[in-house]
Amino acid sequence: MNRDIINSIEAKKDLFTTLSDNIWAVPETCFTEEKSSAYLIDALKKEGFVVEEGVAGIKTAFVATYGHGSPVIGITGEFDALSGLSQQAGVAVKTPVKRGEAGHGCGHHLLGSAGVAAVAAVKDWLIKTGKEGTIKYFGCPAEEGGSGKAFMARDGVFDGLDVALSWHPSSLNMIMTGSSLANVQVYYRFKGVAAHAAGAPHLGRSALDAVELMNIGVQFLREHVIQEARMHYAITNPGGYSPNVVQADAEVLYLLRAPENSQVQDILRRVNKIAEGAALMTETELEIDFVKACSNTIPNFALERVIYDAMTEIGAPKYTAEEIAFADEIEKSIENKANTVSAFAKKIADKAERAKVMGYADKSLVDIIMPHIPDETPMAGSTDVGDVSWCCPTAQVNTACYSANTPGHSWQLVAQGKSGPAYKCMLYAGEIMAAAAIHLYENPDDIAEAKAEWKERVGDGYVCPIPKGVVPRSIAPKK
């Protein structure tokens, strides 16, 4: 069966790599991905999918559907880029295409395209076998900074799914197990009174002072939150560039993270109080503007096992000498390097297996499959896939598209976005997700097992962390 899937994707690989290249060439950030989503929608329509556009009130979000009846399996696709990471492909020296512009520094051009490959292969299988079942592709914008999936989940877009499958480009072939950090993003805007900073400072009320006092308050709060919490901020409006004017307007954007939604909400409550205190101290007015949030991921070990079995049965792609040479050059360009293979090996209990993995610690490309080690621990980052996982059993896989120690959100990652390993492992991810989906169609007991685990984990169910009335929007500064 997996040979049929591989053949189906291989026959259309030029379509999928071209799709990936087209999205790489037009990097679009949070909720502005009009060209990227159009490329994906066009490809899905040509594959015979019925596409509903503009779901959840988001212009660039969509759902593509093929088939009928149950089971209903979803595959998520992302396609947004990151600001400031413009970089030429295939160049191991920092060389922007256009300085200051966006670039695909998290591989979402590959992520969305592999999802299309997967659902197209499942569609071909449904036609060939005449089996009943529905396959859905979810076009999910703004994973970076916008939590598009959380807005979609709030609107019920993922309701009715039996399971959801996803992936992410990586430097290792492995199952994404464990949880992720929930987060919330909020603007704090202070409004004061302008005055001559020398001639009449007593008449002014400094909004910038309020921002700085708030930031100091949050610095002291760091000692009194859980160890896993993270509090990031950016001063997005310092009030101008004239030091001889008391700044009348200033703004800071906060991103707060913790392992669970309830923990984030508690931290947010305390940060809000600090902001209110800063406004009182400076006699300024405060506006709290809630931007977005996303949930912690609910792991599903039963579904992870299905994906892992598909992954190992297909087997990892191999790399050419030319591909390894380019990866070696990328590795040389990385200044602060964390060895990903060594970090993973620490999780392996079996000494022989750990030694086997450590044999790849000095290689620039890793072409083995890491053992599946189910884990409850949250990763350091966040993903809005977490909100999907509250709606149905969800599991994800990584494939080794990049050199072993490439940092995420870097120009080095953008430089490898059109490389041989990126293409091979994008197609590999598509094959894994398609194989896992087909296995689930043929083995409904495995869906039932995943659902039983999911129901036990979610408890009272999903409550979207984004309040009603908050609308999706880009946080990019206006040009």
Side-chain angles (χ1 to χ4, degrees):
M1 180 265 289
N2 285 344
R3 176 46 54 189
D4 290 340
I5 294 166
I6 293 168
N7 290 342
S8 174
I9 290 178
E10 183 70 20
K12 302 174 185 176
K13 70 176 183 179
D14 290 346
L15 185 156
F16 305 130
T17 55
T18 299
L19 178 60
S20 171
D21 285 352
N22 287 341
I23 297 170
W24 186 95
V26 291
E28 299 164 303
T29 58
C30 184
F31 294 121
T32 67
E33 315 93 331
E34 294 185 22
K35 293 177 182 177
S36 301
S37 61
Y39 281 129
L40 292 161
I41 289 168
D42 181 62
L44 288 158
K45 285 182 176 178
K46 287 178 179 176
E47 284 293 320
F49 283 75
V50 175
V51 180
E52 179 186 0
E53 300 182 41
V55 298
I58 304 170
K59 189 174 183 179
T60 52
F62 62 92
V63 181
T65 305
Y66 186 90
H68 58 86
S70 296
V72 182
I73 296 177
I75 291 178
T76 64
E78 299 164 17
F79 39 89
D80 57 324
L82 286 154
S83 63
L85 287 181
S86 176
Q87 168 65 27
Q88 292 184 23
V91 179
V93 178
K94 188 175 182 180
T95 314
V97 176
K98 189 174 182 181
R99 191 171 300 278
E101 294 298 313
H104 273 284
C106 208
H108 293 181
H109 64 299
L110 301 168
L111 200 165
S113 302
V116 174
V119 297
V122 172
K123 177 216 69 175
D124 290 345
W125 177 83
L126 289 171
I127 292 171
K128 182 178 179 179
T129 62
K131 295 274 189 179
E132 183 173 293
T134 303
I135 186 70
K136 288 178 174 284
Y137 178 102
F138 292 88
C140 304
E143 192 276 336
E144 302 287 0
S147 293
K149 296 183 196 68
F151 284 101
M152 294 166 74
R154 188 184 68 177
D155 218 45
V157 172
F158 304 107
D159 293 354
L161 283 179
D162 288 297
V163 300
L165 307 175
S166 190
W167 82 291
H168 203 287
S170 177
S171 59
L172 300 177
N173 298 306
M174 63 183 230
I175 297 299
M176 292 179 69
T177 191
S179 186
S180 60
L181 297 180
N183 74 33
V184 63
Q185 192 157 266
V186 181
Y187 278 111
Y188 295 89
R189 298 191 183 95
F190 295 89
K191 186 173 182 61
V193 178
H196 194 294
H202 58 290
L203 299 179
R205 299 293 182 267
S206 174
L208 182 58
D209 284 357
V211 164
E212 293 195 283
L213 285 166
M214 178 186 173
N215 290 344
I216 291 169
V218 173
Q219 307 299 19
F220 281 101
L221 178 62
R222 293 179 193 278
E223 183 184 355
H224 305 288
V225 296
I226 58 174
Q227 292 286 339
E228 299 86 355
R230 297 289 184 270
M231 295 180 282
H232 322 287
Y233 68 90
I235 298 176
T236 47
N237 175 17
Y241 55 87
S242 299
N244 58 340
V245 175
V246 174
Q247 294 89 347
D249 295 282
E251 171 188 272
V252 62
L253 177 63
Y254 267 83
L255 176 63
L256 310 173
R257 308 189 206 234
E260 297 177 9
N261 282 334
S262 59
Q263 295 166 332
V264 174
Q265 292 302 318
D266 183 60
I267 293 168
L268 174 62
R269 177 184 60 80
R270 298 180 74 181
V271 170
N272 285 349
K273 285 188 174 183
I274 290 171
E276 290 165 1
L280 283 171
M281 285 187 285
T282 53
E283 294 187 332
T284 56
E285 296 176 10
L286 169 66
E287 177 193 0
I288 300 175
D289 182 7
F290 192 107
V291 178
K292 67 94 178 180
C294 70
S295 301
N296 51 294
T297 300
I298 302 296
N300 194 284
F301 298 155
L303 199 53
E304 288 174 8
R305 287 191 292 271
V306 171
I307 297 180
Y308 185 71
D309 288 346
M311 187 180 200
T312 54
E313 186 176 342
I314 294 168
K318 301 299 179 183
Y319 306 112
T320 67
E322 183 180 3
E323 290 165 351
I324 293 169
F326 178 59
D328 287 343
E329 290 301 309
I330 289 289
E331 290 285 309
K332 291 175 185 176
S333 75
I334 301 169
E335 295 180 8
N336 299 313
K337 194 178 298 183
N339 193 291
T340 56
V341 172
S342 296
F344 188 94
K346 291 177 182 178
K347 303 176 184 179
I348 303 172
D350 183 83
K351 290 183 179 180
E353 195 166 32
R354 184 166 65 246
K356 178 185 174 183
V357 168
M358 280 301 296
Y360 288 79
D362 295 325
K363 293 184 180 293
S364 61
L365 289 172
V366 181
D367 60 2
I368 60 169
I369 297 170
M370 298 296 169
H372 176 213
I373 305 172
D375 190 3
E376 302 279 357
T377 307
M379 66 179 185
S382 306
T383 172
D384 58 9
V385 174
D387 291 271
V388 182
S389 75
W390 280 88
C391 299
C392 69
T394 303
Q396 304 176 79
V397 65
N398 287 152
T399 63
C401 299
Y402 304 114
S403 73
N405 303 301
T406 306
H409 297 190
S410 66
W411 68 262
Q412 289 97 336
L413 198 144
V414 185
Q416 297 171 81
K418 296 170 72 176
S419 66
Y423 294 143
K424 289 176 181 179
C425 288
M426 173 188 73
L427 298 174
Y428 181 39
E431 293 163 2
I432 294 166
M433 291 187 289
I438 291 170
H439 172 89
L440 293 167
Y441 286 123
E442 294 185 321
N443 297 273
D445 287 349
D446 287 347
I447 295 177
E449 183 183 356
K451 282 186 171 181
E453 180 183 344
W454 173 75
K455 287 179 181 177
E456 184 176 348
R457 289 183 182 276
V458 298
D460 294 333
Y462 177 61
V463 176
C464 184
I466 302 175
K468 291 181 180 179
V470 175
V471 298
R473 57 180 154 147
S474 171
I475 62 168
K478 295 180 181 179
K479 294 184 178 180

